[in-house]
Amino acid sequence: MKDKYVHLIYFSPTGTTRKIVDAIAEGLSAAQTNRHDLTYAFEKEQQDIAGGVAVIGIPVYAGRVPEDCLERIAGYQADGVPAVLVALYGNREFEDALVELRDVAIEQGFNVIAAGAFIGEHSYSTPKRPIAAGRPDVEDLRLAVKFGQDIAAKIERGDLETPEIEGHVPYRERVKFGGVSPQTDAEHCTLCGECARACPVRVVTVSDSVTTQAENCIMCCACVKICPVDARPFNHPRIEERRDLLVRNCSTPKTPRIFL
Ligand SMILES: Cc1cc2nc3c(=O)[nH]c(=O)nc-3n(C[C@H](O)[C@H](O)[C@H](O)COP(=O)(O)O)c2cc1C
């Protein structure tokens, strides 16, 4: 694909989706990369994607595409541009996220030619309660690069068919997030503002203290993972319970699934 553009379109609050999207782009080895980081795409604008191939990546939230991703992807219009879809999940399940992403991509005019479900460290993972910690690892990234190479070969062959993708329509019911959020440990917080800058939905404000508008928090944990002094724990009892369940039931490492 040396003569083509690759458009990287992704939402990635804790950076694991981005790692896989980048590795797939490496495998595609296009001449030019256009990056559209939707994580901080606050202003709504309409953009046309033309030529080349697009890689669209989202994290899986409760087996679905997060609502903020849907809204931000809806800002893109493509006239039949081939698209590769990525659902990044925290070693539980990806359920209906990929078929939902397929339907959204088609709605926006993309031609879906490949999809993959990859594993990333779970947003709720902590050093003491690890869930898929360190993923994507070297092997995940190798598989993602190989996936990119295989997609490039598929395009070279002129095969632009949409593969069968695992998942159900109608999609599983959407879970409402928010109401609880990470909290600031005022004793250790240095008011550096990293948490506010990392928040993809702008619910954190830093002045002489840190306030979080919990009702609109999407629980992505970007603020938790970016805090340089570990002063943003997410230890609400509801999250502790969920974390326990994930540690108990989702510790066996899963392998990426490819639909090509
Ligand atoms: C609110 C929420 C819901 C999640 N739901 C799921 C899920 O249904 N299945 C799963 O395996 N992981 C789930 N995860 C974990 C994320 O998919 C995973 O941490 C992903 O790597 C985050 O991507 P990012 O690093 O690009 O932000 C969830 C995470 C959050 C914050």
Side-chain angles (χ1 to χ4, degrees):
M1 278 220 354
K2 293 261 180 267
D3 56 338
K4 288 211 166 78
Y5 293 115
V6 60
H7 310 275
L8 306 183
I9 303 170
Y10 54 86
F11 182 86
S12 187
T14 63
T16 60
T17 306
R18 177 186 169 147
K19 282 185 190 164
I20 292 297
V21 165
D22 282 354
I24 294 170
E26 187 188 326
L28 284 167
S29 82
Q32 192 183 317
T33 302
N34 298 334
R35 202 172 275 282
H36 306 264
D37 187 344
L38 303 186
T39 324
Y40 302 108
F42 300 115
E43 316 317 329
K44 293 218 168 13
E45 47 180 295
Q46 208 63 37
Q47 284 209 41
D48 288 332
I49 298 288
V53 54
V55 182
I56 308 176
I58 57 100
V60 175
Y61 285 4
R64 299 278 306 265
V65 180
E67 274 180 299
D68 289 275
C69 296
L70 293 178
E71 283 168 21
R72 293 175 198 198
I73 292 170
Y76 288 85
Q77 202 63 52
D79 195 5
V81 170
V84 178
L85 309 181
V86 177
L88 218 291
Y89 71 106
N91 205 54
R92 190 186 67 76
E93 296 291 346
F94 61 95
E95 285 151 335
D96 304 331
L98 265 185
V99 287
E100 185 179 16
L101 185 59
R102 173 199 63 198
D103 296 347
V104 173
I106 290 171
E107 182 75 29
Q108 297 313 122
F110 290 97
N111 175 30
V112 175
I113 60 162
F118 286 81
I119 297 95
E121 176 165 320
H122 201 289
S123 322
Y124 300 163
S125 177
T126 66
K128 285 198 178 133
R129 315 285 286 144
I131 312 152
R135 309 270 312 259
D137 57 17
V138 172
E139 179 59 8
D140 292 318
L141 295 174
R142 191 190 66 77
L143 288 172
V145 173
K146 168 83 167 53
F147 181 39
Q149 290 165 343
D150 292 346
I151 296 159
K154 175 170 169 157
I155 295 170
E156 283 301 314
R157 289 196 302 274
D159 175 3
L160 298 177
E161 286 293 303
T162 304
E164 278 293 319
I165 297 173
E166 190 176 298
H168 298 99
V169 182
Y171 323 124
R172 73 203 304 266
E173 211 175 311
R174 196 173 275 291
V175 172
K176 190 93 193 90
F177 300 114
V180 298
S181 71
Q183 294 297 317
T184 297
D185 166 3
E187 206 183 309
H188 293 108
C189 174
T190 62
L191 299 174
C192 71
E194 286 286 345
C195 51
R197 284 189 286 278
C199 178
V201 289
R202 287 180 162 161
V203 299
V204 184
T205 314
V206 180
S207 52
D208 51 0
S209 66
V210 181
T211 49
T212 310
Q213 223 190 317
E215 59 278 19
N216 294 326
C217 173
I218 58 167
M219 301 173 155
C220 71
C221 297
C223 59
V224 176
K225 307 231 170 180
I226 199 114
C227 179
V229 294
D230 285 334
R232 264 310 264 189
F234 198 10
N235 48 15
H236 186 280
R238 242 169 71 194
I239 301 303
E240 289 288 10
E241 198 184 311
R242 186 83 190 139
R243 191 175 283 130
D244 280 349
L245 202 78
L246 290 164
V247 169
R248 250 200 327 277
N249 299 332
C250 307
S251 291
T252 308
K254 297 198 166 150
T255 45
R257 298 280 311 280
I258 298 297
F259 306 93
L260 193 58

